[in-house]
Amino acid sequence: TPEAFPLLKFEAECLCSLRNFADKEFLVVPQPLAIQKLESFSILLMPWLNLSGTDQSLLGKGLAILHKNSAQYSEGKFGWGSDGFIGSNSQPAGWRSNWGECFVELRLFPQLVLAKSWGLEITSFVKNKAALVQFLNNHNPLPCLVHGDLWSGNAFVQFDGKGVLIDPATWWADREVDIAMSKMFGGYSIEFYKSYEEIWPLEKNIEQRIDVYNFYHLLNHANLFGGTYKEKSISSMQKIE
């Protein structure tokens, strides 16, 4: 639909940004060829990709290199300069020098506000905002350019073994948000994580933060699709509290 044009425009912007830091020996990020709003629909044209591979080793290495390369060129801030999307929900623009504040204020809380409409009780969670911000700041992450929506349906392997990333919701964030999302719906192999850590090892206590980072995506799914995602969001919030 024509209304999809802003979403496609954001996706094209994200793909171009990721391409700036991707190593083409390991990772393919398709180049947007054209974007057009027509009378009854909108299109984003990209090259044909032969997604016939299965070994995720280069995908893991490629993602780690992308994260590592971008961290060297960040301006020390977290966020994104323009309003974007996570699915079809909005992902607000804004910058913070403080990682915990960025994630909580620009990502998590807008989804919490939406969730109030279907009955999520967020009062006690909001009261613990400062503690959550401090918790996320404790490991002092570097700003990295992340894919932002890295479930297994948005990452593939080409016939030549190179990894492929599509449908990003990019921003400057803790790289762990990508790793967390990769675990949310499964689909990533042991080789993927092993290869990632060969390039840039993860902190040993990452599991402590995965639930917080994926709470954002559970809320987004609950706000978009309802169903069992509502119950999962409630359980996740209780676990974090």
Side-chain angles (χ1 to χ4, degrees), residues 42-195:
S42 299
I43 60 170
L44 173 60
L45 183 65
M46 294 190 293
W48 176 263
L49 299 169
N50 188 344
L51 307 177
S52 58
T54 56
D55 185 344
Q56 295 183 330
S57 297
L58 296 187
L59 176 64
K61 287 183 179 180
L63 180 67
I65 291 169
L66 189 156
H67 286 163
K68 198 169 187 177
N69 284 348
S70 65
Q72 297 173 14
Y73 291 93
S74 83
E75 297 182 0
K77 294 184 293 185
F78 301 94
W80 195 246
S82 58
D83 289 333
F85 298 88
I86 181 70
S88 58
N89 274 336
S90 63
Q91 188 163 272
W95 296 99
R96 299 287 190 278
S97 57
N98 178 301
W99 164 239
E101 288 182 2
C102 180
F103 183 79
V104 172
E105 294 175 2
L106 298 179
R107 296 294 175 261
L108 195 57
F109 271 48
Q111 294 287 346
L112 283 169
V113 171
L114 289 176
K116 286 180 65 177
S117 66
W118 53 260
L120 187 67
E121 176 49 58
I122 66 173
T123 304
S124 61
F125 192 87
V126 171
K127 288 181 179 179
N128 292 326
K129 173 185 173 182
L132 182 59
V133 168
Q134 183 58 50
F135 169 73
L136 294 179
N137 283 335
N138 282 341
H139 78 122
N140 195 31
L142 293 170
C144 298
L145 194 69
V146 299
H147 179 282
D149 193 10
L150 200 67
W151 72 288
S152 57
N154 286 341
F156 301 92
V157 177
Q158 255 187 179
F159 73 98
D160 58 2
K162 295 179 182 179
V164 178
L165 297 181
I166 64 168
D167 293 349
T170 299
W171 54 304
W172 291 88
D174 179 0
R175 64 188 175 120
E176 290 180 354
V177 301
D178 274 350
I179 302 301
M181 183 57 164
S182 75
K183 296 175 179 287
M184 191 169 171
F185 299 120
Y188 286 85
S189 66
I190 293 174
E191 288 73 27
F192 169 81
Y193 298 105
K194 181 179 178 181
S195 297

Side-chain angles (χ1 to χ4, degrees), residues 184-221:
M184 191 169 171
F185 299 120
Y188 286 85
S189 66
I190 293 174
E191 288 73 27
F192 169 81
Y193 298 105
K194 181 179 178 181
S195 297
Y196 183 99
E197 296 217 50
E198 286 176 1
I199 303 296
W200 193 2
L202 294 161
E203 292 187 23
K204 301 303 180 184
N205 61 352
I206 184 177
E207 299 296 331
Q208 298 175 4
R209 291 177 292 276
I210 283 178
D211 288 334
V212 178
Y213 294 152
N214 284 345
F215 181 38
Y216 169 60
H217 293 291
L218 283 173
L219 281 173
N220 183 52
H221 279 69

